[in-house]
Amino acid sequence: MPLSGKTAVVTGAGSGIGRAIAERFAKEGAAVGVWDLNGDAAEETVKLITDAGGKALAVTADCSVEAEIKAAADKTRAAFGPISILVNNAGIAPFTPYLDIDEELWDRVIRINLKGPHLCTREVLPEMLEAGWGRVINITSSSTQSGSFAQGHYVSSKGGLLGMTKALALEFAASGVTFNMVPPGFIDTPMLRASPVDVEAYSQTLPMKRPGTGQEMAAACAYLASDDAGYVTGQTISVNGGRYMGSA
Ligand code: NAP
């Protein structure tokens, strides 16, 4: 199996896209640290994985708080050994008219969606560098390509993550550790269902007339996590059903 012997961490893996990525990585042989703010949801993901014969550990952690990230990484290492694949997936996506975004909300969105991925990456990068092999996959957003109404804070956070992906890809290009991003566009998850968008009506405006699935996101991540993607870094695989065809 392509990911046999690897230890992967997926943040926000108690729901939606993160859960699908964790299940796919486990199916491909990785032992998976299922990190989520919601411990019960993380346990449910682990049950899905172990019922299917895979290996996973649920860890309750706020993936934007350094001490919790460190504790989560230590638990994961103790169970499965050094971490060599990280998917920064945890995120929040509020809708707020720009003039109503106060400092506290701005800071919260940037902390969870941008500082969190930075802290998780900093925590696990040294062991990837030591191994001479690693994969960091950042779940950005198609909104960095299109903008998104009443999401000035959110699009800024994901645009920052896009920049971080490219900067680190370059800085560590010769190390064996790659940094890539997968911007989802309209993937059917609890987050999408909780948004103000009418999923069925909006789907009819899309080129494929349907939302995407977590499994379709997970397939792109599985490729980027594999040895096959060893010469791919700083790149974007847009999983959006042909919605946007520009770069970035
Ligand atoms: P989701 O269903 O809401 O899942 C996100 C998971 O992350 C939830 O379990 C959530 O827990 C958890 N989480 C939130 N903040 C966290 C934190 N600080 N630490 C640890 N876990 C945290 O969302 P999704 O649709 O799968 O989205 C996954 C990623 O894709 C996000 O980064 C999102 O911005 C991005 N994205 C999704 C779409 C889409 O169409 N679905 C489009 C563009 C980008 P709680 O439920 O307890 O908050």
Side-chain angles (χ1 to χ4, degrees):
M1 289 190 284
L3 302 183
S4 278
K6 306 285 190 212
T7 299
V9 162
V10 183
T11 69
S15 176
I17 292 168
R19 172 173 286 177
I21 297 168
E23 288 189 86
R24 173 74 186 244
F25 282 7
K27 206 174 280 178
E28 301 214 349
V32 185
V34 173
W35 296 7
D36 202 287
L37 203 51
N38 180 338
D40 291 341
E43 292 288 0
E44 281 171 34
T45 300
V46 167
K47 184 165 169 20
L48 290 168
I49 290 173
T50 51
D51 284 355
K55 277 209 285 193
L57 174 76
V59 184
T60 308
D62 183 331
C63 298
S64 66
V65 174
E66 193 167 27
E68 295 194 27
I69 292 164
K70 173 141 192 33
D74 284 343
K75 279 185 200 158
T76 306
R77 290 181 192 115
F80 300 135
I83 296 159
S84 56
I85 300 168
L86 169 66
V87 182
N88 284 310
N89 166 78
I92 57 169
F95 286 79
T96 320
Y98 182 67
L99 293 177
D100 294 339
I101 300 173
D102 61 19
E103 189 176 2
E104 190 186 346
L105 179 59
W106 177 270
D107 285 350
R108 182 171 137 74
V109 174
I110 299 293
R111 175 172 57 80
I112 294 173
N113 293 358
L114 178 57
K115 186 177 171 188
H118 154 63
L119 292 174
C120 290
T121 302
R122 257 224 343 230
E123 174 60 32
V124 302
L125 185 55
E127 65 212 271
M128 295 182 185
L129 295 174
E130 199 179 323
W133 193 99
R135 300 284 186 263
V136 178
I137 300 164
N138 292 324
I139 306 304
T140 52
S141 170
S142 62
S143 65
T144 62
Q145 294 154 306
S146 62
S148 179
F149 188 78
Q151 289 202 297
H153 39 16
Y154 175 75
V155 181
S156 299
S157 70
K158 293 294 189 177
L161 187 55
L162 178 158
M164 190 176 98
T165 309
K166 292 187 178 184
L168 300 190
L170 197 59
E171 185 169 343
F172 296 101
S175 71
V177 182
T178 65
F179 296 81
N180 291 291
M181 57 197 140
V182 184
F186 217 68
I187 306 297
D188 200 351
T189 66
M191 177 188 277
L192 187 68
R193 293 283 167 180
S195 78
V197 179
D198 178 334
V199 174
E200 276 66 37
Y202 194 81
S203 293
Q204 292 314 306
T205 71
L206 301 174
M208 292 193 185
K209 311 282 184 214
R210 68 168 179 87
T213 66
Q215 289 71 27
E216 288 166 328
M217 282 292 296
C221 294
Y223 165 66
L224 290 172
S226 73
D227 278 324
D228 283 345
Y231 201 56
V232 178
T233 196
Q235 304 304 313
T236 305
I237 299 182
S238 300
V239 179
N240 63 24
R243 214 166 152 212
Y244 310 113
M245 299 190 188
S247 60

